[in-house]
Amino acid sequence: MTRNEKAAGSLDAGKILRSIGDVVYEWRIGSDAIVWGSNAAARLGVANLAEISSGRSYAQHVQAETGQTRFDAVIKSGERDEGKGVPYQVQYAFTPAPGAQQLWIEDTGRWFAGADGLPARAHGVVRIISERHELERRLAMLAEFDALTGEYNRARLIELLGEALSNTVPLHSSFGFLLLAVDNLDRLNEGYGFDVADEVLAQVAKRVRRQLRSGDILGRHSGNKFGIILKNCSADELGVAAGRLLAAVREETIQTDAGPVAATVTMGGVIAPRHARSVSEILSRAHEALKSARQRRSGSFEAYRPSVEREALRRESARATDEIVAALNERRITLAFEPVVETHSRDIAFYEGLMRAQRADGRIFSNADIVPVAERLGLIRLLDHRVFELAIERLVASPDLRCSVNVSPASIVDPDWLVGFSALVGTYNGIAERLIIEITETTAIYNIDDTRSFVTRVKDLGCGIAIDDFGAGYTSFRNLRKLGVDIVKIDGAFVQNMTRSADDRAFVHTMIDLSRRLGLKTVAEWVQDEDTAHALEELGCNYLQGALIGLALPQEASELARTA
């Protein structure tokens, strides 16, 4: 025998187990006697081992409802011992004495059959796992429940919504879903702090919970929103339940650490499967109803009602989405270039690149149709990115070309889009200096701070900035100075009639004069005849654009190069 083998043979398994806190035992099933290791009483907290010296007496300390017991695992196993014993492992709660703290036990062992094939003896190890069990319990809670309110979290709420739908459809019954939003939560955060706002959310959840029936389900859908599933609910009952919940929240102020706070909620609801036949439809239609209730009045309820016009718009949106995505994927987005000329010489100063989207049948989308739809559906940033890709391709192919391209308000306020644009422009040296970014005046009005940040980033890259359709809104020239734009494009609605309207001519004259004083170049849009062009030249306008100069054409880079 080697030295290692001798050392291994001398190990005391019981001593090792005792040293790590485990308790060994042997259960002699015929006599029901349990023989415990020497540390059993201390580890299990019993005053005398006689209290747990038999299977029956040990079982009196076990909370059977907390899990499968050792008796279940051995006597009721239903398995057969083939000569090597049958392993088992169970977890259960163990109470050492009345009023004592409960312990969680992991009981691992193996039982062996007697001559009759029935369990005759079992030996195993008992390990206290109270801390581990508590951690597992907390993790399980977090996986299913919201930590703040103790109600179901969003993921579990949606699962239960799906189950409710699956259970309701075969029975030809219905259930209600309410989407409840706590009003003015942002003001509570600002006025009292996030802790107080959290107190309000938790108290609202409690008030709502007290009003629900035993079978109803409450869950936190998102920051200030809760979802409520009302089992066996008709349309009339949905309204009654909503009224009861509205009253329960608003009738009394909520006591918080900062004092009493008044809270109200607004709700939207839908009956399923009558008005929604999938989970996504239930959620979206409840959101629609909530939005409608908010527009009408905070602290109110509105139920979803089918609308022919709304459904037609939804179908049209789905169709438009498919068409736009297909046009992007199939490279049917192109650029047409409209020349902008110097007023005096009529030499090409730069081109404006205008998006053209081709349908599958070869027809061209109207930009007036596609852009608003793309903005509404959140697709405009993809179109913007593709348009700039095409513009940069043309600039690379024609080193003398200068080009301007419009960017949408959604892209201006999207930092991720700007990162992608910066990477695109930075790929080629000298491209940025030949690229002019056009932003509309209305974008500058409503997002002055975001627009200023965007302009700063873009100008740092080397690009020029133009304000498009200037005069259509109410941007002051002081804001133009703040933004740091380079070019003002005068709205064509004022230009096209300036030779016939003294007011329009005076307006255009003022804009040109003020722009010149601020060191900004001016472009007159919609120039349709020579009389207008001459009038603009007299007023000192720098550039002309419109039907007189030339309409947008899908020219190749080589053709643009010859005219630039």
Side-chain angles (χ1 to χ4, degrees), residues 329-520:
N329 291 339
E330 296 168 14
R331 300 294 182 178
R332 288 190 273 108
I333 303 296
T334 59
L335 281 185
F337 290 88
E338 185 167 298
V340 178
V341 300
E342 293 182 357
T343 304
H344 180 68
S345 66
R346 303 290 174 94
D347 291 336
I348 299 292
F350 59 91
Y351 287 88
E352 180 177 357
L354 300 170
M355 183 187 70
R356 295 291 183 261
Q358 191 177 52
R359 298 178 185 270
D361 61 8
R363 291 180 297 139
I364 299 296
F365 284 102
S366 165
N367 281 5
D369 292 334
I370 192 173
V371 170
V373 171
E375 288 177 339
R376 188 177 75 246
L377 300 176
L379 298 172
I380 192 66
R381 286 168 290 185
L382 297 177
L383 290 175
D384 279 350
H385 186 77
R386 181 57 184 152
V387 164
F388 276 101
E389 282 184 333
L390 293 171
I392 288 173
E393 285 178 9
R394 295 293 181 91
L395 289 168
V396 170
S398 181
D400 297 325
L401 178 65
R402 293 185 71 218
C403 177
S404 72
V405 181
N406 282 277
V407 63
S408 69
S411 297
I412 285 175
V413 298
D414 182 357
D416 292 334
W417 187 91
L418 185 55
V419 169
F421 172 76
S422 301
L424 191 62
V425 172
T427 304
Y428 305 97
N429 290 331
I431 288 294
E433 289 75 11
R434 296 188 283 124
L435 184 61
I436 301 167
I437 309 300
E438 295 193 19
I439 55 179
T440 62
E441 183 187 12
T442 51
T443 300
I445 293 172
Y446 294 115
N447 301 288
I448 186 70
D449 291 333
D450 290 332
T451 304
R452 183 162 51 184
S453 175
F454 174 84
V455 168
T456 299
R457 294 281 300 277
V458 169
K459 287 179 73 70
D460 285 345
L461 293 173
C463 300
I465 294 290
I467 289 282
D468 194 17
D469 298 331
F470 191 80
Y474 303 95
T475 303
S476 68
F477 276 88
R478 182 174 60 184
N479 283 337
L480 289 182
R481 180 179 290 171
K482 282 183 180 179
L483 290 174
V485 302
D486 305 296
I487 298 173
V488 173
K489 300 188 74 175
I490 302 169
D491 186 9
F494 298 101
V495 173
Q496 65 177 350
N497 294 319
M498 61 177 288
T499 58
R500 297 181 294 277
S501 167
D503 290 342
D504 286 351
R505 181 183 177 91
F507 187 81
V508 172
H509 185 190
T510 299
M511 285 192 285
I512 292 172
D513 186 53
L514 287 172
S515 296
R516 183 170 55 248
R517 293 174 186 272
L518 292 174
L520 306 178

Side-chain angles (χ1 to χ4, degrees), residues 318-334:
R319 183 195 61 77
T321 299
D322 291 341
E323 284 193 338
I324 293 170
V325 171
L328 283 164
N329 291 339
E330 296 168 14
R331 300 294 182 178
R332 288 190 273 108
I333 303 296
T334 59

Side-chain angles (χ1 to χ4, degrees), residues 86-159:
V86 179
Y88 61 89
Q89 185 178 75
V90 290
Q91 292 183 13
Y92 48 78
F94 178 89
T95 304
Q101 184 175 356
Q102 192 179 73
L103 302 175
W104 273 91
I105 301 292
E106 182 181 77
D107 193 336
T108 305
R110 186 177 290 267
W111 65 262
F112 299 87
D116 58 2
L118 298 176
R121 66 184 175 87
H123 56 230
V125 177
V126 166
R127 174 175 295 170
I128 297 174
I129 59 165
S130 297
E131 291 184 3
R132 190 181 86 191
H133 181 269
E134 177 61 17
L135 176 60
E136 291 173 350
R137 185 192 68 80
R138 289 180 182 176
L139 291 175
M141 282 282 292
L142 290 174
E144 190 166 340
F145 295 94
D146 174 56
L148 175 64
T149 63
E151 303 296 342
Y152 289 117
N153 60 24
R154 176 186 173 89
R156 184 59 178 149
L157 176 65
I158 291 174
E159 286 179 1

Side-chain angles (χ1 to χ4, degrees), residues 4-129:
N4 288 339
E5 288 172 335
K6 289 179 180 179
S10 66
L11 291 176
D12 184 338
K15 184 177 180 180
I16 293 174
L17 289 171
R18 287 193 298 274
S19 71
I20 61 176
D22 291 350
V23 181
V24 296
Y25 67 86
E26 182 181 23
W27 180 21
R28 297 164 185 172
I29 297 172
S31 64
D32 197 33
I34 300 179
V35 179
W36 290 98
S38 60
N39 64 334
R43 287 296 293 157
L44 296 177
V46 295
N48 191 328
L49 273 181
E51 297 179 20
I52 55 172
S53 61
S54 68
R56 182 180 297 275
S57 62
Y58 181 76
Q60 291 175 354
H61 292 265
V62 173
Q63 307 300 311
E65 68 276 7
T66 61
Q68 189 183 28
T69 66
R70 184 192 300 161
F71 182 87
D72 296 328
V74 176
I75 306 302
K76 298 181 179 180
S77 74
E79 297 190 41
R80 182 176 178 179
D81 180 9
E82 300 292 347
K84 297 181 180 179
V86 179
Y88 61 89
Q89 185 178 75
V90 290
Q91 292 183 13
Y92 48 78
F94 178 89
T95 304
Q101 184 175 356
Q102 192 179 73
L103 302 175
W104 273 91
I105 301 292
E106 182 181 77
D107 193 336
T108 305
R110 186 177 290 267
W111 65 262
F112 299 87
D116 58 2
L118 298 176
R121 66 184 175 87
H123 56 230
V125 177
V126 166
R127 174 175 295 170
I128 297 174
I129 59 165

